[in-house]
Amino acid sequence: MRNLVWHILLCAALAASAWASNKVDAEQVAREHKASFHWFPVQKTFLLAGEGDTLKFAIGLPYVSSHGNSIELKHAPEITDGHILLDSADVASLYKIDQVQTVPAVPASSNSLAKVSSSSAKIAAASTPAPAAAPTKVAAVSAAPVAASAAPAKTAAIPAAKTATPKNETAGTREVKTIVIDPGHGGKDTGAQGKNSNEKDIVLAVGKLLKKELEKEGFNVKMTRDKDVFIELGERANLGNQWDGDLFISLHCNAIDATPERKKQIKGYHVYVLRAPESEEDKAIARRENKVATLYGEKNAKEELSPLEWFKLEARLEKYKQNSYMFTEEMLKAFDGGKIKRQGGGVGGAGFMVLVGALMPAVLFEIGFISNPEEEAYMTTTKAQEDIAARVAKAVSTYKAAVHNYRETLGR
């Protein structure tokens, strides 16, 4: 028995020794392959960004995101003595497969992890709620709480997205033409309920008016539902993909389960993008909107995503995130001066399942609180619904112009 124990310990030591001898510094890898290196200390993630692709790693997770796909590594990246280390075999495999032209290297100021953190501070700011001004070639990491010790989700995997026939340019980089409006809930799913109304009816009314406004502006407009029917969450984004949409807008009304006095206090609109939630309130709102999937037995339904799922998901949706922020910024401008004011900063992020499969810039818009008597009374009026639709349409038009202007700077 003692010999067996010693044999196991010896094998473990040899394996550790072999791994140690094959470690390479991530910053050195970046320099050798003419890629820029970016470290995000809060999320414990880092990027090796080249012109052809951005490789995204997470400390403690044996995966790397490349070209929107998650690839398994032999060894998870680790931090030792202030250095971020990768397995040399993993590096060789990645750069053998991915022979792309890269941008000039960003000089590393030091091999010290503390200095890396400092030099990456501006880049890490891209994962904050503030909307981005324009898309960038080097992707920014969303604030996903990736950790090796995090517990996996209890339910099944992220639903796969159906895609339309690909074009030469993807949504978010081409001219904005097709808008997908998704009035939340419907049919047997009433959504949140106010004293005198249901969420499903308010958002459908706004959605129809929004469609008319956008069509006046020359947009091709599709609706996931234009009557009181139930559409599964997973199917909504799939429809948008089949229509080859350029922007996905999911309309909802917010609600809070509280005392009558508290309900009178909580009000305002909020625009959400798909990213890891940064507050318990955002998590709670996402769980409420996602609950319909589990309630009605949708395949692959879940109320929250695990850290590993966020890691994989962000790689797939990274190309659309900056444009989602661009549109969010236009929404904030369009609703300034409106009857319904911003709730807090007006912008949030959470794991809304209705946005997960949308292969295009996408937002979920909580118009106002149906649980607030004043906002409920306002949102049920035709005047309010017309005003809300007009403001969203204005945001879409200014977003289209912003994308057009950005394309012109690129000579497209």
Side-chain angles (χ1 to χ4, degrees), residues 276-326:
E278 296 177 344
S279 71
E280 289 303 317
E281 287 184 1
D282 287 349
K283 285 183 181 180
I285 291 168
R287 282 195 296 267
R288 179 176 67 79
E289 296 294 358
N290 293 340
K291 194 171 183 179
V292 59
T294 55
L295 184 64
Y296 294 113
E298 280 190 42
K299 185 180 179 182
N300 298 324
K302 61 177 57 192
E303 293 183 17
E304 289 189 72
L305 300 178
S306 72
L308 178 56
E309 286 171 325
W310 271 116
F311 180 78
K312 293 179 178 180
L313 178 62
E314 284 171 352
R316 192 175 82 195
L317 301 181
E318 189 68 46
K319 66 185 79 172
Y320 314 116
K321 185 178 68 177
Q322 294 300 327
N323 280 61
S324 297
Y325 282 132
M326 284 177 65

Side-chain angles (χ1 to χ4, degrees), residues 9-26:
L9 291 174
L10 178 61
C11 289
L14 289 173
S17 176
W19 159 224
S21 65
N22 289 314
K23 294 177 185 178
V24 289
D25 188 288

